[in-house]
C-alpha cells in the first residue's frame, strides 16, 4: 500500500505571515506618559538648549554689572571724601545745569553717604536715553556725566541689552522669551523623569539629591550628574523663568493684562493740584528757575519738596521728579531696592511743601509687590552681593546641566561599524497614542491654554509636534516591507 508524500509528512503547514510593523514601544519612560515626557524633554533639550545656553552666559555676565560700574565709573558714582552735611539740593542742581545747559531736568537723586547726586536731563534728541550729571553733594563739584538708560550706566545698559535681546532690538527679544518659556518645562520635566527612574529602582527621596554613580563611566554616570544638579537648581530655574516672562514681549503683555483684570498693578499716585498764584510749576519763574519739560521751576523747590518728603517718613535714597506740566505735584519716590525694600511715594505741592497724596509699598496689591520684588531679585539687586552670587551659581549650574545633556546625547550614539552615528537616536514616539482618553481630554485644553498664555512656547511646541509627525510618517514609508516567503515543494 503506497502512501503519498503528503500523507507521510502530515497536513501542509501554513506559510508564515509576514511580520507586522514593530509596535511603537513606550520608549524608556516605562509608560505612555513617561515616553511622551522623555521625548519632549529630549527635543526641548536639543533644540531649546542653545537659547538657554546663551541666556545663561549673558545672565552670568550681567551678574557682575555693579562691579563693572565701580571699576569704570567709580570716579563719577562716588565721592572721594564724605562731608559732614550735604549742600542744598538747589545748589547741586544749579551746578549740574551750568555743566549741562541743554535739556530738561527730569529727576534728581540726592547723594547719600559716599554716593554722588544724580541730576538727570532729557531731551527729544536723546530718545529713550538720558544724560546724567554726577555732583559731589558736599562740594557741588561736578564729577562727570554719562549717557544713561533708566538710571543705568552705559556698561550696565550694554550688558542688559546683551542678555535681553543680544543687541538685536525687538527681534532679539524673541530669544530670551523663548528661553524663559521653555526653561520651566525642561526643569520640571527633568525632575519628574529622574523621580520616575529612581522610584523604579526603589530609591528614596534622598537619592534624588545625590548623583547616580553606580556606573563607573558612560551615559549612566553623566545622567546622574545631569539629573541631580538639575534637581538642586529647579527652584531657582523656575524663579528665573517666571520673573523673566513677566517683562517679556508677548507673555509679559498677557501677564500685564492679567494684572489689569485683577486690579493688581501698583496704584497710581494722584498728582493733580488746584492752580494757585505763584505756583513754582507755572511758567515764568525768576532768574533762579530752570526748565523741566517746558515749564520753569524755582530751584529752591527741590529742597522744599525733599524736606516735605523726609518729614513724611521717606528715608534713605529717594528720587525727586518735578512735574512735567503746570498744575501738577512733584513726586518723591524711595529707590532702595535692597531688602528690606523702601518704595513708598508721595506727591508734594512744590509751592507750599504740602504732601497731597501718598502711596506706600505695603499697601500695594500682593501680585504687584511680588512682581516688583521678583524683578529686583532677577536683576541681582534685592539681596545685594548674595543675590549676585546666587544668580551666578544658577547660571553656572545651568551651563553644566546643558553640557552634560549634550554629552549624554553623544554617549548614546550607535558605535557599531554598520550603525555609526554622530549622536544618539531620540526616544521612540508613540506616547500620545498610548495615553488614556481622559488624560487627553484634560491635557490638550490645558496645554492649549498654556500655549496661549506663553505664545512662543505654544508656537514652538506646535512646530515640534508637526515636524515630529512628518518625520514619523516619512520613516514609516521608508521602512522596507518584509516579503512573504515563497511557497516551496
Amino acid at each position: 500500500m503506497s502512501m503519498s508524500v503528503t500523507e507521510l509528512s502530515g497536513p501542509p503547514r501554513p506559510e508564515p505571515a509576514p511580520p507586522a510593523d514593530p509596535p511603537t514601544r513606550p520608549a524608556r519612560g516605562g509608560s505612555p506618559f513617561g515616553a511622551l515626557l522623555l521625548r519632549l524633554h529630549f527635543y526641548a533639550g536639543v533644540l531649546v538648549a542653545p537659547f538657554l545656553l546663551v541666556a545663561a552666559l549673558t545672565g552670568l555676565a550681567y551678574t557682575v554689572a555693579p562691579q563693572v560700574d565701580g571699576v569704570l565709573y567709580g570716579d563719577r558714582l562716588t565721592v572721594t571724601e564724605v562731608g559732614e552735611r550735604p549742600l542744598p539740593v538747589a545748589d547741586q542742581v544749579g551746578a549740574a545745569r551750568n555743566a549741562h545747559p541743554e535739556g530738561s531736568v527730569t529727576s534728581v537723586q540726592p547723594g547719600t553717604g559716599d554716593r554722588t547726586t544724580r541730576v538727570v536731563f532729557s531731551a527729544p534728541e536723546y530718545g529713550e536715553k538720558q544724560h546724567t550729571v554726577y555732583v559731589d553733594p558736599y562740594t557741588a563739584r561736578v564729577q562727570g556725566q554719562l549717557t544713561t538708560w533708566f538710571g543705568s550706566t552705559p556698561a550696565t545698559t550694554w550688558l542688559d541689552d546683551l542678555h535681553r535681546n543680544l543687541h538685536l532690538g525687538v527681534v532679539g527679544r524673541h530669544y530670551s522669551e523663548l528661553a524663559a518659556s521653555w526653561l520651566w518645562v525642561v526643569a520640571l520635566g527633568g525632575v519628574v523623569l529622574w523621580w520616575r527612574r529612581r522610584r523604579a529602582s526603589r530609591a528614596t527621596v534622598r537619592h534624588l539629591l545625590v548623583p547616580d554613580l553606580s556606573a563607573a563611566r558612560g551615559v549612566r554616570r553623566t545622567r546622574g550628574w545631569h539629573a541631580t544638579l538639575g534637581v538642586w537648581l529647579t527652584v531657582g530655574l523656575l524663579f528665573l523663568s517666571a520673573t523673566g516672562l513677566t517683562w517679556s514681549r508677548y507673555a509679559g503683555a498677557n501677564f500685564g493684562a492679567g494684572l489689569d483684570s485683577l486690579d493688581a498693578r501698583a496704584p497710581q499716585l494722584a498728582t493733580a493740584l488746584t492752580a494757585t498764584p505763584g505756583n513754582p510749576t507755572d511758567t515764568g519763574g525768576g532768574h533762579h528757575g530752570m526748565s523741566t519739560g517746558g515749564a520753569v521751576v524755582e530751584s529752591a523747590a527741590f529742597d522744599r519738596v525733599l524736606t516735605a518728603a523726609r518729614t513724611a517718613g521717606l528715608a534713605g535714597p529717594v528720587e525727586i521728579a518735578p512735574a512735567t506740566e503746570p498744575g501738577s505735584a512733584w513726586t518723591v519716590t524711595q529707590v532702595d531696592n535692597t531688602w528690606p525694600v523702601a518704595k513708598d511715594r508721595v506727591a508734594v505741592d512744590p509751592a507750599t511743601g504740602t504732601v497731597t497724596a501718598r502711596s506706600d509699598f505695603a499697601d500695594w496689591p500682593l501680585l504687584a509687590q511680588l512682581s516688583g520684588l521678583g524683578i529686583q531679585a532677577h536683576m541681582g539687586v534685592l539681596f545685594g552681593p548674595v543675590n549676585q552670587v546666587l544668580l551666578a551659581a544658577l547660571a553656572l549650574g545651568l551651563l553644566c546641566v546643558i553640557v552634560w545633556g549634550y554629552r549624554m546625547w553623544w554617549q548614546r550614539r550607535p558605535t557599531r561599524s554598520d550603525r555609526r552615528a554622530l549622536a544618539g537616536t531620540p526616544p521612540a514616539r508613540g506616547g500620545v497614542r498610548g495615553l488614556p482618553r481622559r488624560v487627553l481630554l484634560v491635557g490638550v485644553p490645558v496645554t492649549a491654554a498654556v500655549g496661549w498664555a506663553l505664545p512662543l512656547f505654544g508656537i514652538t511646541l506646535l512646530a515640534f509636534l508637526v515636524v515630529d509627525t512628518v518625520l514619523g510618517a516619512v520613516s514609516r514609508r521608508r521602512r522596507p516591507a518584509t516579503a512573504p516567503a515563497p511557497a516551496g515543494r
Side-chain angles (χ1 to χ4, degrees):
M1 185 177 188
S2 64
M3 301 181 66
S4 66
V5 176
T6 302
E7 291 174 324
L8 290 173
S9 60
R13 296 178 181 178
E15 296 292 340
D21 288 344
T24 303
R25 56 188 174 93
R28 296 183 302 277
S31 70
F33 173 75
L36 176 62
L37 187 60
L38 182 62
R39 191 168 178 84
L40 178 64
H41 189 75
F42 171 83
Y43 273 120
V46 171
L47 302 176
V48 180
F51 298 93
L52 295 174
L53 184 71
V54 173
L57 288 172
T58 56
L60 181 63
Y62 187 81
T63 60
V64 297
Q67 287 69 33
V68 173
D69 280 350
V71 172
L72 298 180
Y73 315 115
D75 58 336
R76 278 157 279 196
L77 301 177
T78 58
V79 299
T80 56
E81 183 177 353
V82 178
E84 295 183 1
R85 176 179 295 182
L87 295 173
V89 178
D91 293 348
Q92 303 175 52
V93 174
R97 167 60 72 192
N98 291 335
H100 191 287
E102 301 85 13
S104 304
V105 177
T106 55
S107 67
V108 176
Q109 291 187 25
T112 57
D114 66 343
R115 310 299 293 182
T116 54
T117 295
R118 304 181 184 187
V119 183
V120 181
F121 294 85
S122 296
E125 58 268 25
Y126 303 160
E128 290 187 347
K129 301 294 181 66
Q130 303 89 32
H131 288 180
T132 300
V133 178
Y134 301 88
V135 183
D136 186 329
Y138 308 102
T139 65
R141 182 178 67 88
V142 174
Q143 297 192 185
Q145 67 181 52
L146 294 171
T147 299
T148 55
W149 185 69
F150 291 100
S152 298
T153 65
T156 296
T157 301
W158 191 90
L159 291 172
D160 178 74
D161 282 343
L162 179 67
H163 179 60
R164 193 162 53 102
N165 57 37
L166 301 179
H167 295 284
L168 298 176
V170 174
V171 175
R173 293 184 65 183
H174 296 155
Y175 114 84
S176 57
E177 183 168 353
L178 182 65
S181 298
W182 277 93
L183 179 58
W184 66 276
V185 179
V186 175
L188 287 180
V191 171
V192 173
L193 288 171
W194 186 234
W195 165 253
R196 291 171 62 88
R197 180 178 291 273
R198 303 298 275 168
R199 187 183 63 175
S201 61
R202 297 183 179 180
T204 62
V205 174
R206 182 179 67 84
H207 290 90
L208 287 174
L209 306 177
V210 295
D212 180 8
L213 303 181
S214 57
R217 60 181 180 177
V219 67
R220 290 180 60 190
R221 190 179 186 89
T222 305
R223 185 191 298 119
W225 287 108
H226 170 86
T228 302
L229 183 56
V231 171
W232 279 99
L233 298 177
T234 297
V235 174
L237 296 181
L238 293 179
F239 167 79
L240 291 180
S241 176
T243 52
L245 288 171
T246 56
W247 74 86
S248 61
R249 186 180 183 190
Y250 299 110
N254 290 336
F255 177 75
L259 291 180
D260 290 336
S261 64
L262 297 173
D263 195 19
R265 284 192 182 273
Q268 296 292 323
L269 186 65
T271 58
L273 292 176
T274 303
T276 57
N279 190 312
T281 59
D282 290 342
T283 306
H287 65 281
H288 293 293
M290 61 187 61
S291 172
T292 60
V296 177
V297 301
E298 182 188 4
S299 299
F302 285 98
D303 293 283
R304 191 182 302 123
V305 169
L306 179 60
T307 300
R310 296 299 191 197
T311 304
L314 269 65
V318 297
E319 180 181 82
I320 306 170
T324 57
E325 56 186 21
S328 297
W330 291 21
T331 60
V332 183
T333 306
Q334 290 179 310
V335 290
D336 187 356
N337 291 313
T338 304
W339 186 265
V341 299
K343 300 172 76 69
D344 296 344
R345 299 172 294 166
V346 294
V348 182
D349 185 339
T352 63
T354 303
V355 174
T356 60
R358 184 183 185 106
S359 173
D360 291 338
F361 182 70
D363 298 329
W364 289 16
L366 179 60
L367 284 178
Q369 292 182 3
L370 293 177
S371 178
L373 295 176
I375 290 174
Q376 296 305 320
H378 190 113
M379 297 175 66
V381 175
L382 187 60
F383 301 109
V386 174
N387 205 156
Q388 294 177 258
V389 172
L390 290 175
L391 289 177
L394 272 176
L396 290 172
L398 181 58
L399 290 173
C400 291
V401 168
I402 292 172
V403 171
W404 282 328
Y406 279 114
R407 177 173 171 78
M408 284 192 297
W409 189 29
W410 182 78
Q411 287 176 321
R412 289 186 56 250
R413 74 197 189 281
T415 56
R416 284 174 27 186
S417 58
D418 59 334
R419 296 181 60 235
R420 290 186 182 277
L422 294 177
T425 57
R429 57 176 54 87
V432 174
R433 282 174 286 179
L435 291 175
R437 181 172 299 179
R438 63 180 181 275
V439 174
L440 294 175
L441 291 177
V442 175
V444 172
V446 170
T447 303
V450 174
W452 175 85
L454 311 178
L456 289 190
F457 167 76
I459 293 172
T460 50
L461 176 61
L462 181 61
F464 288 169
L465 293 175
V466 170
V467 172
D468 191 53
T469 302
V470 171
L471 292 179
V474 172
S475 177
R476 286 190 296 271
R477 286 178 176 273
R478 290 180 176 178
R479 186 181 301 151
T482 304
R489 293 182 59 87

